[in-house]
Amino acid sequence: GAGVSQTPSNKVTEKGKYVELRCDPISGHTALYWYRQSLGQGPEFLIYFQGTGAADDSGLPNDRFFAVRPEGSVSTLKIQRTERGDSAVYLCASSPFVGETQYFGPGTRLLVL
Amino acid sequence: GIQVEQSPPDLILQEGANSTLRCNFSDSVNNLQWFHQNPWGQLINLFYIPSGTKQNGRLSATTVATERYSLLYISSSQTTDSGVYFCAVIESASGTYKYIFGTGTRLKVLA
C-alpha cells in the first residue's frame, strides 16, 4: 500500500512569512509524528498525535510552531513568522499505534530566505 | 534525558566487506529502531528491535537491552548500502513515545 506522503516536497519562503506543511499517514495508522532534521544532524522530535489529540508537543521550539490533525488522519504543521533558522527538512512518520514501528515520509525541505 | 551515541561516525568499505555499527544508549529503552537514510534523504526502516536478534537478508541486528547497546551487522556490502545509519530509541522513563535519534554512522561503500 501507499507509504507516508508529504507535501510540498520543497518550499522556499521569505523571512516573516507563514507556511503550512502537510502529512498524509499510512491509512489506518493512529499515531503520527513530526520531526525536524538540520543538515548533518539526526532528526529531532517536534510533536506526536494519538488520534486527533497532540499527546506530546514538547519538541516544538516556540509558539510560532503549531500542528493539527483534526480528523485523525492528515496532519498540518504550521509555522508563523518564519525565521532563517527554521530552514531544515521536516519529516513526518506514522505507526499503527503508539510505540510501534514508525514509517517515515520523504520530508519537506524548507528554505527560509 | 537519554543520550544515544553511535560508532563509528564514519566508515568507508570496499564492496563485499562486512561491517558492524554500534548504538549505545544511556538509560533503559522501550523501543529501538534502526534506519537507513539514503542519499536522497529518505529514512528507511530496517529493524524494530527493542531486544533480541533479527535478520533480513544481508542485514541483521542485535539489541542487548540490559547492557544498553544495539548492533547492526551488514554483510557483503553493496554500493547501495551507502548513506547514514541511525538508531532511534524511546526512553522507558519518559512516559512518551517520541524517538530520540543517535548521532548516526555515515557509510560509504566503494565499488
Side-chain angles (χ1 to χ4, degrees), chain A residues 73-86:
Chain A
S73 178
V74 170
S75 176
T76 305
L77 179 65
K78 308 180 181 196
I79 310 174
Q80 298 178 321
R81 304 183 303 280
T82 51
E83 300 178 356
R84 294 193 180 89
D86 299 334

Side-chain angles (χ1 to χ4, degrees), chain B:
Chain B
I2 194 169
Q3 302 298 312
V4 185
E5 295 189 355
Q6 294 183 240
S7 60
D10 296 279
L11 186 58
I12 300 176
L13 297 175
Q14 206 65 39
E15 199 169 29
N18 303 329
S19 62
T20 300
L21 281 56
R22 186 176 182 104
C23 172
N24 291 332
F25 37 95
S26 60
D27 212 335
S28 299
V29 300
N30 287 335
N31 295 24
L32 187 147
Q33 207 166 335
W34 280 97
F35 296 92
H36 173 215
Q37 189 163 44
N38 65 23
W40 296 269
Q42 175 72 53
L43 272 169
I44 300 163
N45 173 49
L46 297 177
F47 294 102
Y48 173 85
I49 187 165
S51 64
T53 298
K54 290 186 177 180
Q55 181 158 6
N56 184 4
R58 297 182 296 105
L59 302 182
S60 64
T62 295
T63 297
V64 184
T66 53
E67 297 187 19
R68 300 182 184 169
Y69 73 88
S70 183
L71 302 174
L72 178 69
Y73 306 96
I74 305 174
S75 64
S76 304
S77 58
Q78 301 176 356
T79 56
T80 52
D81 295 332
S82 297
V84 183
Y85 289 79
F86 288 105
C87 67
V89 304
I90 293 177
E91 185 179 5
S92 301
S94 69
T96 182
Y97 292 95
K98 63 186 181 187
Y99 268 137
I100 304 300
F101 279 77
T103 47
T105 291
R106 187 173 301 274
L107 173 64
K108 187 170 179 63
V109 181
L110 304 176

Side-chain angles (χ1 to χ4, degrees), chain A residues 82-105:
Chain A
T82 51
E83 300 178 356
R84 294 193 180 89
D86 299 334
S87 296
V89 177
Y90 289 80
L91 295 164
C92 176
S94 70
S95 63
F97 296 95
V98 290
E100 297 186 349
T101 302
Q102 294 186 24
Y103 298 91
F104 279 77

